[in-house]
Amino acid sequence: MNERQRPVSILLVDDEPANLAALEVVLAPLGQRLVTAGSGREALRHLLREDFAVIVLDVRMPDMDGFETAELIRSRPASRITPIIFVTAFPEAEHDLERAYRIGAVDVLFKPFVPESLRSKVSVLVDLHQKQRSIAELLAKAQESNRAKSEFLNLAAHELRTPLAVIVGYLSMLADGTFGEVSPELRQAFEILTEKSEELNRIVDDLLTASRLESGVLPRRLVECDLREIARRAVRTARPQAELLSAELHLDVPEQPVMVRADPTYLARIVDNLVTNALAYSQGQPWVRITVRGGEEAVLTVEDHGIGIPREMREQVFERFVRLPSAELSPQPGTGLGLYISRELARRQGGDLQVVDSEPGRGSTLALRLPAAADPANGRQHRRPPWFAGGRG
Ligand SMILES: Nc1ncnc2c1ncn2[C@@H]1O[C@H](COP(=O)(O)OP(=O)(O)OP(=O)(O)O)[C@@H](O)[C@H]1O
Ligand SMILES: [Mg+2]
């Protein structure tokens, strides 16, 4: 059924049965569910059981009047923002108006009111409620499908790991000549197979890491390490790939150590991801520079002259499976998990990862920030930098 057409409930409150009947006649053409209440208390009882798109509330009622009823309606979280239209007699208007708007009425109608006016006002609020409801339902569906997707990927990654390890093991034995002599043609085939299984291994590993990050179980080993050393190692790791692409790979590190307290394997993974991206998302011969700076916070930046990231996508690229389409580049291998994993790992070590600068066609700079470790010179902890507030991770 079309979401917009599913009827919503409207609550009509008046102590005069004749007035209630009149309201029902006026609003019946909207085709929604009309619920009537002869007193404030009865109205509150209905509100406990049901969610209303709008409440039409008479001001003058014995026992509990419309304003007191409205205040009680507002005090409940479930109906704090339910729109209320007050209906009041003209003589008391001035005073009523002021009080009604203070309570948060969306409108005040004077008796005798024009039926079309009430109907069109209620109709707008009904429409709004239906839209909010469909958005909430869409969100719930998206969250559910997201959860199902994560569960599936987690399962798939676990199931793929063992057979993949067996394949890699046999391949290496075949290549070694364990099962007989290997001709040059076969050797080349084994090399390709080995390379592809390594690629597959990386994907499975990323899927597993992502699912562990989500469920919160990822052990870490925090030690003091020099961020310059991490950067140097990343350059060594990227060298073969860079040479294949005839890329320029620059390293700019200070003379003094830049000590951070972190898990070196996580840091290596983050920086490798950043450098791999910088090389992959560049046209022609890529240019990449890794810079390390110390101080109150330690910062490692990876800068490229690649295709760039549009401003409105600077945050989205850190979401799982988000990959940007590119007209300039041929499709690059990848799953869209690299930056998600990298940012999560950075945050779990008290740091953060951001796109600090990027312009389509000109290049990007991503920065990994980490709290500096205790100062080795005087053994004192550096003051925490401002972005570290809030204790992430
Ligand atoms: N340096 C960069 N320059 C331009 N675009 C980038 C850069 N880094 C990332 N992107 C864009 O962000 C997307 C997400 O990057 P991410 O590293 O998370 O995933 P991926 O590279 O697609 O796959 P993988 O999971 O294998 O890393 C990329 O697909 C690319 O569109
Ligand atoms: Mg990547």
Side-chain angles (χ1 to χ4, degrees):
M1 189 198 273
N2 185 336
E3 298 291 346
R4 302 272 317 267
Q5 280 160 12
R6 232 175 64 206
V8 301
S9 301
I10 301 171
L11 183 59
L12 311 172
V13 194
D14 201 307
D15 59 310
E16 284 284 339
N19 287 349
L20 279 180
L23 285 172
E24 282 187 291
V25 169
V26 170
L27 298 176
L30 295 180
Q32 308 300 324
R33 187 177 124 75
L34 302 177
V35 177
T36 56
S39 69
R41 284 183 205 290
E42 200 186 334
L44 291 171
R45 272 198 297 276
H46 282 299
L47 277 155
L48 284 178
R49 286 193 294 264
E50 212 176 318
D51 178 33
F52 290 93
V54 46
I55 302 166
V56 181
L57 189 53
D58 182 30
V59 171
R60 291 285 158 262
M61 291 189 293
D63 188 18
M64 184 193 289
D65 73 12
F67 294 130
E68 290 171 87
T69 309
E71 268 156 7
L72 286 169
I73 292 173
R74 287 278 174 263
S75 70
R76 291 186 48 244
S79 54
R80 200 187 309 287
I81 55 166
T82 306
I84 299 175
I85 297 178
F86 283 106
V87 181
T88 183
F90 201 60
E92 298 111 292
E94 278 283 302
H95 175 247
D96 281 0
L97 259 183
E98 194 199 311
R99 187 147 176 220
Y101 286 117
R102 211 174 41 237
I103 295 173
V106 292
D107 218 326
V108 180
L109 288 185
F110 302 114
K111 285 184 211 171
F113 53 80
V114 184
E116 288 75 23
S117 166
L118 175 67
R119 198 183 304 131
S120 79
K121 282 173 180 164
V122 170
S123 153
V124 170
L125 295 168
V126 163
D127 197 40
L128 188 70
H129 188 81
Q130 280 171 324
K131 285 195 177 114
Q132 284 168 342
R133 193 168 62 184
S134 0
I135 291 170
E137 283 168 0
L138 279 176
L139 190 68
K141 268 189 209 151
Q143 281 167 342
E144 170 53 26
S145 80
N146 210 8
R147 195 194 54 73
K149 189 163 78 176
S150 307
E151 232 166 60
F152 168 76
L153 288 173
N154 185 17
L155 194 79
H158 270 109
E159 293 300 316
L160 285 172
R161 213 158 52 146
T162 317
L164 197 53
V166 175
I167 293 174
V168 171
Y170 268 91
L171 263 180
S172 119
M173 286 194 286
L174 280 167
D176 281 355
T178 309
F179 300 114
E181 206 175 317
V182 183
S183 68
E185 292 82 8
L186 261 184
R187 182 167 306 284
Q188 203 190 358
F190 287 149
E191 270 167 24
I192 295 171
L193 285 173
T194 307
E195 194 185 307
K196 288 295 154 193
S197 10
E198 273 165 12
E199 210 173 296
L200 204 52
N201 241 333
R202 266 198 302 278
I203 294 175
V204 170
D205 190 48
D206 274 357
L207 287 173
L208 275 175
T209 308
S211 106
R212 286 192 185 131
L213 281 168
E214 231 182 318
S215 55
V217 286
L218 200 70
R220 53 174 198 185
R221 186 178 58 92
L222 297 185
V223 295
E224 301 237 325
C225 46
D226 186 352
L227 203 50
R228 298 176 312 163
E229 200 38 52
I230 304 286
R232 287 186 191 117
R233 251 182 268 167
V235 169
R236 279 201 294 277
T237 310
R239 199 59 86 192
Q241 176 75 4
E243 264 160 29
L244 277 178
L245 296 166
S246 309
E248 273 183 53
L249 207 50
H250 300 278
L251 180 64
D252 175 359
V253 297
E255 275 176 21
Q256 297 299 318
V258 178
M259 300 307 289
V260 291
R261 203 176 148 67
D263 188 320
T265 51
Y266 289 177
L267 290 186
R269 189 158 184 177
I270 297 169
V271 184
D272 287 346
N273 275 339
L274 295 180
V275 177
T276 307
N277 281 351
L279 291 169
Y281 303 110
S282 292
Q283 280 177 291
Q285 301 178 340
W287 178 98
V288 179
R289 180 167 61 197
I290 307 177
T291 308
V292 175
R293 291 287 176 263
E296 291 241 320
E297 58 178 8
V299 185
L300 182 149
T301 55
V302 177
E303 191 184 344
D304 65 53
H305 289 173
I307 58 171
I309 299 167
R311 183 168 284 275
E312 67 279 8
M313 297 308 289
R314 283 187 188 182
E315 274 304 302
Q316 266 101 317
V317 290
F318 292 98
E319 284 170 25
R320 289 178 315 155
F321 309 116
V322 168
R323 311 195 70 208
L324 309 182
S326 158
E328 303 97 323
L329 291 177
S330 56
Q332 298 293 313
T335 49
L337 282 172
L339 289 180
Y340 164 76
I341 291 174
S342 302
R343 174 180 266 185
E344 286 296 316
L345 291 180
R347 289 185 172 177
R348 270 153 220 246
Q349 300 173 90
D352 206 354
L353 178 65
Q354 274 154 349
V355 176
V356 288
D357 192 22
S358 188
E359 211 176 304
R362 301 284 300 276
S364 316
T365 306
L366 280 90
L368 165 68
R369 298 162 190 280
L370 293 163
D375 193 333
N378 54 16
R380 178 173 59 85
Q381 184 79 23
H382 273 301
R383 192 166 60 80
R384 285 180 169 193
W387 53 264
F388 189 57
R392 283 192 211 95

